[in-house]
Amino acid sequence: TQLLEQSPQFLSIQEGENLTVYCNSSSVFSSLQWYRQEPGEGPVLLVTVVTGGEVKKLKRLTFQFGDARKDSSLHITAAQPGDTGLYLCAGPSSGTYKYIFGTGTRLKVLA
Amino acid sequence: EAGVTQSPTHLIKTRGQQATLRCSPISGHTSVYWYQQALGLGLQFLLWYDEGEERNRGNFPPRFSGRQFPNYSSELNVNALELEDSALYLCASSSFLENEQYFGPGTRLTVT
């Protein structure tokens, strides 16, 4: 069974700090998606990474896909309170038609 | 373009009753996914429908079932409700075998 482990599980930081969230697996994924979910709402797709080593930027968010396509990271520069939420990585499980979500990182940015 | 919609927003049932949750996908999407998210926890995959067929299901008992209609909307039914079924139920849609999923706002089911 393919699993996606995220770390850290919880993160509380001050506004203006930088942070990195990790998403790791022992299996290869054809692509990984990152979502952000706010309390009581559905996750919102942020980005898809497909190619090993790929780096994508979305304003202050930088996403990277590992060279071997087994891991990914999300780096936030100068975090703001609006970045608060649950960050989830996810990807398609090869050969099973299942879509797997990571364990999640709950981020709180304090003003 | 309208996003994924779900109804009702909130649903309160008593143990042993049945619950029906509804989802309308984004226009042009044929796949609908259902997830359960217990309070403070991650998303657990429930069901995947495409073109009216159940393509896969997660590790949930048979009392969790659903269907997809010809217009690609979907229904999730939960029979014999148990207290631990209380959760946010999320529906997502995508094009067939596209990896990016678009989520609705969810239905908060409370079982008392």
Side-chain angles (χ1 to χ4, degrees), chain A residues 6 8-9 19 21 34-37 46 60-61 63 74 76 80 82-89 102-109:
Chain A
Q6 288 185 238
Q9 188 176 0
L19 66 117
V21 175
W34 283 92
Y35 296 82
R36 180 172 67 215
Q37 183 182 24
L46 296 174
R60 294 176 294 99
L61 279 60
F63 304 85
L74 158 59
I76 301 179
Q80 298 178 1
D83 297 327
T84 293
L86 176 66
Y87 287 82
L88 296 158
C89 64
T103 48
T105 293
R106 199 167 294 277
L107 171 65
K108 186 169 186 177
V109 181

Side-chain angles (χ1 to χ4, degrees), chain A residues 5-82:
Chain A
E5 299 282 345
Q6 288 185 238
S7 62
Q9 188 176 0
F10 298 98
L11 192 54
S12 181
I13 62 172
Q14 292 293 131
E15 181 177 4
E17 292 184 5
N18 301 333
L19 66 117
T20 302
V21 175
Y22 299 93
C23 173
N24 294 295
S25 175
S26 58
S27 306
V28 174
F29 280 80
S30 59
S31 70
L32 281 179
Q33 286 74 48
W34 283 92
Y35 296 82
R36 180 172 67 215
Q37 183 182 24
E38 299 191 21
E41 299 181 8
V44 175
L45 178 68
L46 296 174
V47 78
T48 291
V49 286
V50 178
T51 307
E54 182 178 6
V55 176
K56 280 192 174 179
K57 292 192 175 184
L58 185 67
K59 297 183 181 177
R60 294 176 294 99
L61 279 60
T62 301
F63 304 85
Q64 185 162 10
F65 203 12
D67 291 341
R69 291 185 289 131
K70 292 184 178 181
D71 57 270
S72 182
S73 64
L74 158 59
H75 181 80
I76 301 179
T77 303
Q80 298 178 1

Side-chain angles (χ1 to χ4, degrees), chain B residues 14-31:
Chain B
T14 57
R15 194 169 48 185
Q17 285 188 318
Q18 179 199 41
T20 298
L21 289 64
R22 297 180 176 82
C23 171
S24 290
I26 289 173
S27 176
H29 285 180
T30 61
S31 283

Side-chain angles (χ1 to χ4, degrees), chain A residues 1-6 23-35 88-104, chain B residues 33 35 42-46 48 56 58-59 99 101 103:
Chain A
T1 303
Q2 288 180 288
L3 296 173
L4 286 168
E5 299 282 345
Q6 288 185 238
C23 173
N24 294 295
S25 175
S26 58
S27 306
V28 174
F29 280 80
S30 59
S31 70
L32 281 179
Q33 286 74 48
W34 283 92
Y35 296 82
L88 296 158
C89 64
S93 173
S94 59
T96 66
Y97 292 120
K98 284 187 179 177
Y99 192 68
I100 299 170
F101 275 86
T103 48
Chain B
Y33 304 81
Y35 296 88
L43 276 69
Q44 301 299 316
F45 168 71
L46 266 166
W48 170 30
N56 213 336
N59 297 324
N99 297 323
Q101 298 189 6
F103 285 81

